[in-house]
Amino acid sequence: MSERVAIVTGGTRGIGEAISIRLRDAGYKVAAGFGGDEAKAEAFKTATNIPVWRWDVGDFKACAAAVQKIEESLGPVDILVNNAGITRDATMHKMLHDQWIEVIRTNLSSCFNMCNAVFDGMRERSFGRIVNIGSVNGQMGQYGQVNYAAAKSGIHGFTKALAQEGAARGITVNAIAPGYIDTDMVRAVPPVVLEKIIARIPVGRLGHADEIARGVRFLVSDNAGFITGSTLSINGGQHMY
Ligand code: CAA
C-alpha cells in the first residue's frame, strides 16, 4: 500500500491541528487547509513539517481547485476530514441573517463542497475514508446556537446519506461529535457560561483536541472498513444516546 493522502480542513488550529499531527504520526501524507490565519498556519507548518493550503471551504469552486492542487502535489486523496468550522453565537432575537448564512456555508456546505471534490476519485480507486466533525450541540441543541446546531445536526444526516452511497465502493463516511474541547473556540464562550457547561460534563473537564484526533485516526484506518454511517460521540458523558 502506498502512503495514503489525507486532507484535514481547518487543519492548522485547534482540533484540526491535533488531527493533522496524529495522522502524520500514523504515516499519512497530510495536507492541512486553513481559512485565514496566515501567521498561525506558517507557525504550524514550521513546527510540524505538514504542508498547508489556504482556501475558503464555503466556496464550491475554491474547494475543487484546492483538491486539484493538493493531488498534483501529494497524490490522490484517500482520506478527507471535514473539520473546519466557526461559531457566530447569538440568541434568535439578536442573530443576523449573515451570522446564519456564514455558519451554514462554512460548517455544512463545506462538507458538500469537499466531498463532491474527492468522491469521484475515491469511487474510481474503490477506497475512501471521510470523517465529518459534528458536535454535541448538533445532537442536543444549545442556547444561542440555532445556526451552529442546525449546521452540525445537518452534518450528521449528511454523513448517514453519503455513507449509503459510498458503502459498495469501499468508501466509509462517519462523523465524530465532539463535546466541549479545550480550544480557542470554546475558550471564547463567556467564562460564567462555560463554568455552567463544564459542571454538566460527568467527566468534569473539557476534552483535549487529541482525544478527538485519536477517534479520527481509528475511523480512517484501512481496517475500519465495516464502520460506516456511524457517529462517535466524544464528549465526557455530557450527552448519551
Ligand atoms: N438556558 C436558558 N437560559 C439561558 C441560557 C441557557 N442555556 N443561557 C443564557 N440564558 C438566559 C440568561 O440567563 C439571560 O436571561 P435574563 O435576560 O432573564 O437574565 C438571557 O438568556 C440572555 O443571556 P445572555 O446574557 O447570555 O445573552 P447574550 O446575548 O449576552 O449572550 C449567548 C447569548 C451569546 C448565546 C451567550 O449566552 C453564549 O455565548 N452562550 C454560550 C453558547 C455556547 O455554548 N457556545 C458553544 C461554543 S463552542 C462550540 O460550539 C464547540 C462545540 O461544538 C461544543
Side-chain angles (χ1 to χ4, degrees), residues 71-150:
E71 293 200 323
E72 282 164 14
S73 171
L74 302 182
V77 174
D78 304 300
I79 295 160
L80 168 64
V81 184
N82 283 311
N83 164 76
I86 57 170
T87 52
R88 296 289 181 268
D89 295 353
T91 46
M92 176 58 88
H93 66 283
K94 291 184 189 165
M95 188 176 287
L96 306 172
H97 183 243
D98 280 355
Q99 292 175 309
W100 166 261
I101 296 293
E102 225 183 323
V103 168
I104 297 295
R105 80 184 278 286
T106 306
N107 296 12
L108 181 58
S109 297
S110 57
C111 290
F112 173 79
N113 298 343
M114 289 303 297
C115 288
N116 189 267
V118 301
F119 212 65
D120 275 352
M122 289 180 173
R123 279 165 55 90
E124 277 161 25
R125 295 184 299 278
S126 296
F127 181 88
R129 296 281 181 266
I130 296 173
V131 178
N132 300 316
I133 304 299
S135 168
V136 66
N137 292 349
Q139 297 171 310
M140 62 182 228
Q142 167 62 36
Y143 190 99
Q145 280 200 313
V146 293
N147 49 3
Y148 187 89

Side-chain angles (χ1 to χ4, degrees), residues 7-236:
I7 296 181
V8 182
T9 67
T12 63
R13 296 173 49 202
I15 291 175
E17 176 175 13
I19 295 169
S20 296
I21 291 170
R22 184 151 285 279
L23 295 189
R24 177 204 65 187
D25 291 351
Y28 297 96
K29 280 199 266 180
V30 177
F34 71 100
D37 193 337
E38 286 277 356
K40 173 62 193 159
E42 273 309 308
F44 165 86
K45 185 178 161 190
T46 307
T48 62
N49 224 14
I50 295 171
V52 298
W53 274 267
R54 180 177 181 167
W55 77 96
D56 174 3
V57 290
D59 178 333
F60 180 76
K61 286 187 181 158
C63 289
V67 168
Q68 195 183 342
K69 278 192 201 145
I70 290 167
E71 293 200 323
E72 282 164 14
S73 171
L74 302 182
V77 174
D78 304 300
I79 295 160
L80 168 64
V81 184
N82 283 311
N83 164 76
I86 57 170
T87 52
R88 296 289 181 268
D89 295 353
T91 46
M92 176 58 88
H93 66 283
K94 291 184 189 165
M95 188 176 287
L96 306 172
H97 183 243
D98 280 355
Q99 292 175 309
W100 166 261
I101 296 293
E102 225 183 323
V103 168
I104 297 295
R105 80 184 278 286
T106 306
N107 296 12
L108 181 58
S109 297
S110 57
C111 290
F112 173 79
N113 298 343
M114 289 303 297
C115 288
N116 189 267
V118 301
F119 212 65
D120 275 352
M122 289 180 173
R123 279 165 55 90
E124 277 161 25
R125 295 184 299 278
S126 296
F127 181 88
R129 296 281 181 266
I130 296 173
V131 178
N132 300 316
I133 304 299
S135 168
V136 66
N137 292 349
Q139 297 171 310
M140 62 182 228
Q142 167 62 36
Y143 190 99
Q145 280 200 313
V146 293
N147 49 3
Y148 187 89
K152 292 297 188 177
S153 182
I155 283 179
H156 296 302
F158 176 98
T159 298
K160 291 181 220 178
L162 191 59
Q164 293 179 31
E165 296 185 22
R169 301 279 188 145
I171 305 167
T172 67
V173 188
N174 292 288
I176 290 186
Y180 281 72
I181 308 299
D182 192 2
T183 59
D184 291 347
M185 182 186 273
V186 165
R187 288 283 165 206
V189 173
V192 33
V193 178
L194 190 56
E195 261 170 46
K196 287 186 197 150
I197 290 169
I198 294 173
R200 293 197 298 266
I201 302 174
V203 169
R205 61 168 173 86
L206 296 176
H208 305 304
D210 191 54
E211 291 174 312
I212 306 304
R214 285 171 183 274
V216 173
R217 197 269 171 268
F218 169 68
L219 291 171
V220 303
S221 311
D222 274 26
N223 57 11
F226 205 59
I227 307 173
T228 195
S230 72
T231 297
L232 179 57
S233 296
I234 306 180
N235 61 30

